[in-house]
């Protein structure tokens, strides 16, 4: 695919950082401390390597965003999309980076910290400012990245279309007599060809498909196997995630029945997506259908989860999640039924919540394909 995404602008990143600082203040935080990882990339477009050298974005309400970087990396920071929207300072090798950070923080402030922050950095900040306290960003602001703008949804749609194209191609390859790892390698190659920079592929066949934590192995696929293809990755910085369950040769009656249950459940979950509906309600509707079909004890949780610059992020479609859906939220919706020692079925698409309900970003068929 040759589609070029609309680039995010300095104004986009400035707006994200301003909103994040405001949201932090509303939760009683002095600010946010963001180290390299998906939050830093999303907030300001800067993608440094994660190393023992401290890189720290400090967001506080009413103040200009400040970015502390190693002096060796300052040229890269100054070339980042957000460079004119942040005040950059640096520290040199041989200096104490945490002492350099103390001037950016309140000595007794309570801060939200990116979940990807290395322990060595958090401990260093605590030692330099022993009266400061810290809370994980996923706890204090779990929905920071949850609502996507139109350009973000477009990138997710492009990634979804790429995954759809991969699925259509993989159906034409030979499954019988090949190992799970070989089919997974085909998926990875096709994802790269479709513009993905990072890929994740899991192929679960036969009894392995009943294991929700299966890792692709060397089992040889044979006629009569149920095969779960669970794959995706990152394209233009946004995630794809597609799961389809295919069958090698004609399926047995119960295999078809379970697949129909999961497909019907996934459709019902999708149809439940609308502004003002809670994540809990979507999960309950899906789970109720599986229970009514007699497979409740074999249903996995959650029914789905948020997706964006990472493949898994809040909100989560679980019984405990009372978050209301709002337009712009994007979800990977994948109910599943796994019968221990026998077979499993999973079907997952990416769906976005709009003002009028849900919109699928994946368009490929959800029926059980028969492969050779």
């Amino acid at each position: 695919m040759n589609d070029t995404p609309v680039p995010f602008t300095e104004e986009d990143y400035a707006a994200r950082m301003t909103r994040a600082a405001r949201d932090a203040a509303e939760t009683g935080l002095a600010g946010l401390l963001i180290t390299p990882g998906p939050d830093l990339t999303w907030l300001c477009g800067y993608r440094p390597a994660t190393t023992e050298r401290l890189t720290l974005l400090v967001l506080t309400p009413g103040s200009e965003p400040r970015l502390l970087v190693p002096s060796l990396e300052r040229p890269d920071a100054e070339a980042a999309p957000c460079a004119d929207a942040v005040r950059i300072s640096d520290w040199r090798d041989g200096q104490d980076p945490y002492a350099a950070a103390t001037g950016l923080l309140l000595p007794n402030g309570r801060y939200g910290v990116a979940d990807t922050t290395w322990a060595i950095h958090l401990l260093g900040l605590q030692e330099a400012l022993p009266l400061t306290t810290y809370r994980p960003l996923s706890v204090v602001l779990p929905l920071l990245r949850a609502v996507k703008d139109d350009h973000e949804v477009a990138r997710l749609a492009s990634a979804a279309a790429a995954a759809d194209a991969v699925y259509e191609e993989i159906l034409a390859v030979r499954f019988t007599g090949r190992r799970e790892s070989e089919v997974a390698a085909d998926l990875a190659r096709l994802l790269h060809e479709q513009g993905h920079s990072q890929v994740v592929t899991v192929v679960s066949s036969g009894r392995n498909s009943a294991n929700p934590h299966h890792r692709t192995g060397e089992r040889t696929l044979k006629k009569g196997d149920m095969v779960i293809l669970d794959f995706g990755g990152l394209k233009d910085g946004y995630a794809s995630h597609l799961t389809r369950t295919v069958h090698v040769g004609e399926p047995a009656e119960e295999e078809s029945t379970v697949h129909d249950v999961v497909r019907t459940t996934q459709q019902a979950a999708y149809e439940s997506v609308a502004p003002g509906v809670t994540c809990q309600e979507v999960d309950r509707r899906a789970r109720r259908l599986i229970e009514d079909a007699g497979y409740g004890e074999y249903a996995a949780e959650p029914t789905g989860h948020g997706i964006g610059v990472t493949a898994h992020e809040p909100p989560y479609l679980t019984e405990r999640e009372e978050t209301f859906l709002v337009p712009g939220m994007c979800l990977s919706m994948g109910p599943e039924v796994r019968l221990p020692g026998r077979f499993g079925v999973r079907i997952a698409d990416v769906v976005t919540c709009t003002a009028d309900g849900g919109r699928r970003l994946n368009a490929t068929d959800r029926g059980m394909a028969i492969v050779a």
Side-chain angles (χ1 to χ4, degrees):
M1 299 181 69
N2 297 316
D3 52 322
T4 301
V6 175
F8 298 122
T9 66
E10 177 189 319
E11 290 74 20
D12 291 328
Y13 291 120
R16 291 177 187 178
M17 290 187 286
T18 298
R19 177 164 63 85
R22 183 188 66 238
D23 291 349
E26 291 176 354
T27 62
L29 296 172
L32 302 180
L33 308 181
I34 311 297
T35 53
D39 291 316
L40 184 66
T41 301
W42 182 81
L43 282 163
C44 68
Y46 183 40
R47 301 170 182 264
T50 302
T51 71
E52 74 284 356
R53 289 188 171 96
L54 177 68
T55 294
L56 186 68
L57 175 68
V58 180
L59 302 177
T60 53
S63 298
E64 182 181 15
R66 290 155 294 177
L67 181 63
L68 177 66
V69 300
S71 59
L72 294 173
E73 299 174 17
R74 182 161 187 154
D76 293 333
E78 291 176 339
C82 67
D84 291 336
V86 299
R87 183 187 303 170
I88 299 174
S89 58
D90 61 43
W91 60 274
R92 297 182 179 276
D93 282 354
Q95 293 180 326
D96 182 351
Y98 310 108
T102 58
L104 307 180
L105 308 182
L106 295 176
N108 59 349
R110 180 173 176 266
Y111 291 92
V113 182
D115 290 20
T116 53
T117 301
W118 282 15
I120 190 174
H121 296 320
L122 187 57
L123 291 170
L125 291 170
Q126 287 179 319
E127 184 174 352
L129 293 169
L131 297 182
T132 52
T133 57
Y134 305 93
R135 295 281 287 163
L137 196 57
S138 61
V139 173
V140 292
L141 289 177
L143 302 180
L144 178 65
R145 306 193 314 253
V147 179
K148 278 69 177 176
D149 63 27
D150 291 344
H151 294 320
E152 291 183 282
V153 174
R155 292 193 186 208
L156 285 164
S158 176
D164 282 349
V166 168
Y167 177 65
E168 296 300 330
E169 290 193 63
I170 203 69
L171 293 179
V173 309
R174 183 79 179 173
F175 279 67
T176 305
R178 302 181 71 216
R179 296 188 297 273
E180 291 177 346
S181 60
E182 293 177 300
V183 177
D186 286 340
L187 287 169
R189 172 180 54 81
L190 292 169
L191 284 165
H192 282 302
E193 289 176 0
Q194 288 290 336
H196 281 64
S197 58
Q198 298 179 27
V199 301
V200 177
T201 61
V202 179
V203 176
S204 310
S205 64
R207 291 186 176 185
N208 290 342
S209 66
N211 178 4
H213 304 294
H214 176 67
R215 295 183 179 182
T216 301
E218 299 305 311
R219 182 183 182 276
T220 299
L221 281 67
K222 63 182 186 297
K223 187 175 181 180
D225 278 349
M226 194 78 90
V227 184
I228 297 178
L229 306 172
D230 191 347
F231 59 95
L234 290 181
K235 180 178 184 293
D236 298 318
Y238 280 74
S240 66
H241 184 201
L242 183 70
T243 309
R244 293 291 185 266
T245 303
V246 303
H247 200 275
V248 184
E250 292 298 322
E253 182 177 356
E254 188 176 18
E255 291 173 325
S256 294
T257 296
V258 173
H259 193 281
D260 286 344
V261 168
V262 175
R263 181 171 54 83
T264 300
T265 298
Q266 207 261 2
Q267 178 67 21
Y270 160 67
E271 292 173 356
S272 299
V273 173
V277 174
T278 66
C279 294
Q280 183 184 67
E281 291 175 86
V282 177
D283 179 71
R284 283 176 177 173
R285 182 175 183 188
R287 203 159 300 283
R288 189 178 306 118
L289 287 173
I290 295 175
E291 289 171 353
D292 289 347
Y295 295 98
E297 64 181 298
Y298 307 114
E301 190 179 17
T303 297
H305 50 78
I307 187 169
V309 294
T310 56
H312 290 76
E313 60 184 46
Y316 292 89
L317 301 178
T318 69
E319 170 62 30
R320 297 171 296 281
E321 181 68 76
E322 298 179 348
T323 298
F324 288 98
L325 298 179
V326 300
M329 283 185 174
C330 295
L331 305 160
S332 175
M333 306 185 69
E336 58 189 273
V337 170
R338 311 264 187 170
L339 304 181
R342 299 179 62 198
F343 65 88
V345 175
R346 187 170 196 264
I347 301 171
D349 287 326
V350 176
V351 173
T352 184
C353 181
T354 74
D356 302 316
R359 176 168 73 91
R360 289 188 187 275
L361 301 187
N362 290 104
T364 196
D365 188 73
R366 284 167 291 283
M368 182 162 57
I370 307 301
V371 296

